[in-house]
Amino acid sequence: MTLAKVFEKVTAGENTPVEFAAYDGSRAGSPGSQIRMEIKTPYAVSYLVRSPGLLGLARAYVAGHIDVHGDMYTALTTLSETLKGLTLADRLRVAASVADDPLLRAAAATRVKPPAQEVRPGRFFRHSKQRDAEAISHHYDVSNKFYAWVLGPSMAYTCAVYERPEATLEEAQYAKFDLVARKLGLEPGMKLLDVGCGWGGMVLHAAKEYRVRALGVTLSQQQAEWAQKAIAAAGLSDLAEVRFMDYRDVPEAGFDAVSSIGLTEHIGQANVPAYFSFLHRKLKPGGRMLNHSITRPDNTQASIKHEGFINRYVFPDGELEGPGFLLSQMHDNGFEVRHEENLREHYAMTLRDWSRNLDDNWDDAVTEVGEATARVWRLYMAGCRLGFDRNFIQLHQVLGVKLPPSGKSGMPLRSGWGS
């Protein structure tokens, strides 16, 4: 069996709308397809034999043993449909075909290491402060220049809100921050705590647009340094501050509002009750807290997939909870939940725009962070977009209030943010 034929069989046969081309000159699949998979070395077979399915393909792609020509999202959409129909009998037939060819048999028998970008289990207990710091650094301390190419001028690495289909990424990120500000009821002179603040987008928005005294904290030193420079450049140092700090170490209290945009995914299910309890204690009576996070669609699946591509390459120790679990924990730890909405389609659109930015800046990105890391990001963003499109994952904003003794929430009778 030729090398191209091996890949054709692994991805469920001749009807797959993908063209396969191998370094040995062999071809298979559908000639002229908009997606072409180039198998560059026989060692790609070893990844497939040892990790059948998407993880094996991902490892071979990150390691540079295969290339994907064409739109990565389209490629993943196609392959995800065909790979899920691959049975054990199909895999055994492929293995038997590989065994018949001396070169492929030798390549498959070679024990290839996972790419260097793959994260192995940490030295510390899951979600200890030290291990959380290492996990956040792995993902966010890549390169501020790289993130600027991917995220655009807003440096916002969370789901944007597209108020109209043709909105630009920058318009949608502004709309997201402003939606959070309006839900929190921000007014001049208030104090805002933004936990997991990233490059300070919410802090900057609150200070500039609402004249709020805003404090942001992040476990990424590169993010904190970038944010402090951006705050100074905007002339907002009297109102805004970003610290390189674990949110659990924030000493101040008495905030009028708390925003958490993209942090819950990192803290672990066991820590969710303490997380909401901590944020509740940081608020004044009558204060509002908005939690914006990626979730699973429900609570019937495991919250963490240790063997998955994202946990191994992108978000070490990441855990996704179901929206019902998060709402219950907010209620059980002192908040009255007043509003909730699912923005998963918006995140698919956000990832579409980030992926375009990466493709447009591909050569510069490879020079900055290396080809393997750039490949991880190309694959990860396309895969996540597919996940949001297919409702494998969701994005929920949940607004809660810390009620005063009077029980008066201070909320309007109807929301004024168009939802």
Side-chain angles (χ1 to χ4, degrees), residues 121-135:
R123 295 180 291 111
F124 301 91
F125 291 113
R126 186 180 302 279
H127 299 301
S128 67
K129 289 183 179 180
Q130 179 64 42
R131 183 155 161 174
D132 279 352
E134 290 184 353

Side-chain angles (χ1 to χ4, degrees), residues 46-221:
S46 181
Y47 286 100
L48 294 182
V49 170
R50 297 175 186 280
S51 300
L54 287 174
L55 180 59
L57 285 171
R59 281 175 164 168
Y61 173 72
V62 171
H65 293 290
I66 64 172
D67 273 340
V68 177
H69 301 277
D71 179 64
M72 181 61 78
Y73 172 76
T74 303
L76 289 183
T77 301
T78 302
L79 292 173
S80 66
E81 285 298 315
T82 55
L83 281 168
K84 69 182 182 183
L86 199 64
T87 66
L88 177 59
D90 294 328
R91 291 172 178 169
L92 290 175
R93 281 194 292 271
V94 171
S97 299
V98 169
D100 287 340
D101 184 289
L103 179 61
L104 296 182
R105 183 171 66 245
T110 302
R111 185 173 291 278
V112 289
K113 293 182 179 180
Q117 285 69 26
E118 185 165 320
V119 176
R120 311 312 298 164
R123 295 180 291 111
F124 301 91
F125 291 113
R126 186 180 302 279
H127 299 301
S128 67
K129 289 183 179 180
Q130 179 64 42
R131 183 155 161 174
D132 279 352
E134 290 184 353
I136 294 298
S137 179
H138 169 83
H139 187 73
Y140 294 101
D141 290 339
V142 176
S143 158
N144 284 337
K145 187 179 294 185
F146 172 80
Y147 274 108
W149 286 322
V150 174
L151 305 180
S154 71
M155 290 295 279
Y157 186 34
T158 47
C159 174
V161 173
Y162 292 76
E163 296 184 324
R164 60 188 195 285
E166 68 276 11
T168 67
L169 176 61
E170 286 305 300
E171 290 171 337
Q173 290 293 9
Y174 182 96
K176 182 269 300 298
F177 288 128
D178 209 60
L179 177 64
V180 172
R182 286 182 284 122
K183 286 182 175 180
L184 290 173
L186 296 185
E187 296 178 357
M190 282 185 169
K191 291 171 54 183
L192 169 72
L193 172 64
D194 186 40
V195 294
C197 68
W199 287 271
M202 184 64 209
V203 169
L204 283 160
H205 188 91
K208 180 180 179 181
E209 304 296 338
Y210 290 85
R211 308 307 296 174
V212 164
R213 301 188 66 84
L215 169 63
V217 293
T218 174
L219 279 175
S220 167
Q221 187 167 0

Side-chain angles (χ1 to χ4, degrees), residues 109-357:
T110 302
R111 185 173 291 278
V112 289
K113 293 182 179 180
Q117 285 69 26
E118 185 165 320
V119 176
R120 311 312 298 164
R123 295 180 291 111
F124 301 91
F125 291 113
R126 186 180 302 279
H127 299 301
S128 67
K129 289 183 179 180
Q130 179 64 42
R131 183 155 161 174
D132 279 352
E134 290 184 353
I136 294 298
S137 179
H138 169 83
H139 187 73
Y140 294 101
D141 290 339
V142 176
S143 158
N144 284 337
K145 187 179 294 185
F146 172 80
Y147 274 108
W149 286 322
V150 174
L151 305 180
S154 71
M155 290 295 279
Y157 186 34
T158 47
C159 174
V161 173
Y162 292 76
E163 296 184 324
R164 60 188 195 285
E166 68 276 11
T168 67
L169 176 61
E170 286 305 300
E171 290 171 337
Q173 290 293 9
Y174 182 96
K176 182 269 300 298
F177 288 128
D178 209 60
L179 177 64
V180 172
R182 286 182 284 122
K183 286 182 175 180
L184 290 173
L186 296 185
E187 296 178 357
M190 282 185 169
K191 291 171 54 183
L192 169 72
L193 172 64
D194 186 40
V195 294
C197 68
W199 287 271
M202 184 64 209
V203 169
L204 283 160
H205 188 91
K208 180 180 179 181
E209 304 296 338
Y210 290 85
R211 308 307 296 174
V212 164
R213 301 188 66 84
L215 169 63
V217 293
T218 174
L219 279 175
S220 167
Q221 187 167 0
Q222 288 189 23
Q223 286 182 335
E225 291 172 353
W226 189 97
Q228 281 296 101
K229 290 178 181 178
I231 289 168
L236 295 170
S237 298
D238 59 328
L239 289 175
E241 178 187 2
V242 168
R243 298 176 190 165
F244 173 44
M245 175 183 286
D246 192 298
Y247 78 92
R248 290 165 287 194
D249 294 330
V250 173
E252 293 95 337
F255 291 94
D256 298 283
V258 172
S259 52
S260 175
I261 306 175
L263 174 62
T264 316
E265 302 91 326
H266 295 289
I267 66 174
Q269 186 179 67
N271 296 320
V272 169
Y275 160 74
F276 284 129
S277 177
F278 176 86
L279 298 183
H280 186 268
R281 293 195 302 273
K282 291 296 172 182
L283 280 169
K284 292 179 179 178
R288 301 181 192 179
M289 190 277 288
L290 185 130
N291 193 77
H292 168 122
S293 66
I294 303 171
T295 75
R296 294 175 285 146
D298 52 53
N299 292 303
T300 63
Q301 308 166 45
S303 64
I304 182 171
K305 295 184 178 179
H306 300 279
E307 303 305 311
F309 173 79
I310 288 181
N311 200 267
R312 286 173 175 264
Y313 285 88
V314 185
F315 286 112
D317 295 346
E319 298 185 37
L320 301 183
E321 322 307 339
F325 175 80
L326 295 175
L327 265 71
S328 292
Q329 290 302 318
M330 284 181 65
H331 271 297
D332 292 348
N333 287 280
F335 289 102
E336 181 188 34
V337 172
R338 299 297 308 223
H339 188 269
E340 189 279 337
E341 64 176 314
N342 183 1
L343 298 170
R344 71 176 177 87
E345 292 89 354
H346 294 261
Y347 217 152
M349 296 169 73
T350 306
L351 287 155
R352 174 202 64 195
D353 290 346
W354 289 343
S355 295
R356 287 175 181 170
N357 285 346

